[in-house]
């Protein structure tokens, strides 16, 4: 099972796309209102093809929750705001999400950071979390999303 953490512009379509292709997916966000909207069968933003993808994912059994799940794969797609002057990102959301994942992840889980981060962010801010938590068993992956806004659903499928 895959737990997608952060159901915004990137995380929600990622979760829906995997679910609609037969992967068991739970989408998690700490925004209770957002999760309630999704559980009420409504999408949270407009994007071409998103409503159809949402309907497919619901049929395939996708679930939405404010809880992090116990599962084998986590995809973290939380915000990485950046300072327009020095172009440095703020890793605090990624760090917080990864810390919570490490509290629940079973042995050997895969932790994918999908958020966009500057070079070296994983080594400086994320990998040390695994060491601090004594979680050398967790397999860390960085796979930043490359879609262009406005063409999200097509690009997720074809990139
Ligand atoms: N928006 C784009 O066009 C785009 C394109 C490519 C890459 N990205 C990157 O993808 C990442 C996500 O961006 P986005 O646009 O989807 O952000 P977003 O603000 O639309 O969504 C992020 C979601 O994460 C949730 N969240 C934050 N911290 C959390 C936590 N600890 N636990 C659970 N949920 C949490 C928020 O409530 C929010 O719903 C960023 O790194 C961004 O740079 C964005």
């Amino acid at each position: 099972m895959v737990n997608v953490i952060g159901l915004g512009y990137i995380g929600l379509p990622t979760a829906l796309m995997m679910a609609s292709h037969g992967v068991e997916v739970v989408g998690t966000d700490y925004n209770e209102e957002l999760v309630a909207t999704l559980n009420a069968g409504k999408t949270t933003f407009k994007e071409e093809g998103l409503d159809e993808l949402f309907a497919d994912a619901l049929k395939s059994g996708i679930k939405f929750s404010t809880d992090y799940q116990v599962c084998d794969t986590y995809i973290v797609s939380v915000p990485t705001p950046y300072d327009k002057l020095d172009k440095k990102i703020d890793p605090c959301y990624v760090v917080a999400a990864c810390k919570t994942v490490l509290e629940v992840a079973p042995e050997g889980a895969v932790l994918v950071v999908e958020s966009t981060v500057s070079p070296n962010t994983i080594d400086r801010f994320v990998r040390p979390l695994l060491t601090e938590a004594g979680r050398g068993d967790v397999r860390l992956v960085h796979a930043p999303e490359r879609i262009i806004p406005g063409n999200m659903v097509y690009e997720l499928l074809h990139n």
Side-chain angles (χ1 to χ4, degrees):
M1 191 230 279
V2 175
N3 189 195
V4 176
I5 312 293
L7 298 174
Y9 188 70
I10 294 295
L12 178 63
T14 300
L16 299 178
M17 188 61 79
M18 285 190 300
S20 71
H21 283 80
V23 180
E24 188 184 358
V25 179
V26 176
T28 293
D29 201 294
Y30 64 14
N31 180 334
E32 290 177 7
E33 204 181 316
L34 183 147
V35 170
T37 303
L38 295 171
N39 277 329
K42 294 181 204 138
T43 46
T44 42
F45 58 90
K46 294 281 164 227
E47 179 81 21
E48 196 175 331
L50 187 69
D51 286 346
E52 293 80 0
L53 187 60
F54 188 61
D56 282 352
L58 286 178
K59 266 188 232 146
S60 301
I62 191 168
K63 303 228 166 7
F64 304 105
S65 173
T66 51
D67 295 329
Y68 285 55
Q69 307 293 305
V70 177
C71 64
D72 47 52
T73 306
Y74 299 85
I75 299 182
V76 170
S77 48
V78 297
T80 42
Y82 73 98
D83 185 310
K84 286 202 170 55
L85 288 178
D86 70 10
K87 303 271 197 284
K88 284 191 179 150
I89 60 107
D90 179 351
C92 71
Y93 293 93
V94 170
V95 166
C98 289
K99 268 190 182 170
T100 312
V101 166
L102 292 174
E103 286 167 14
V104 298
E107 193 173 349
V110 175
L111 168 54
V112 183
V113 177
E114 191 184 17
S115 300
T116 307
V117 295
S118 337
N120 227 14
T121 300
I122 297 292
D123 283 341
R124 283 182 64 203
F125 298 104
V126 182
R127 205 183 301 283
L129 300 175
L130 274 63
T131 312
E132 280 160 26
R135 294 304 309 269
D137 59 289
V138 170
R139 290 171 286 166
L140 185 59
V141 179
H142 180 213
E145 185 48 61
R146 303 298 303 270
I147 67 94
I148 294 174
N151 208 16
M152 153 73 78
V153 175
Y154 179 90
E155 296 219 345
L156 270 182
L157 205 50
H158 294 97
N159 273 358

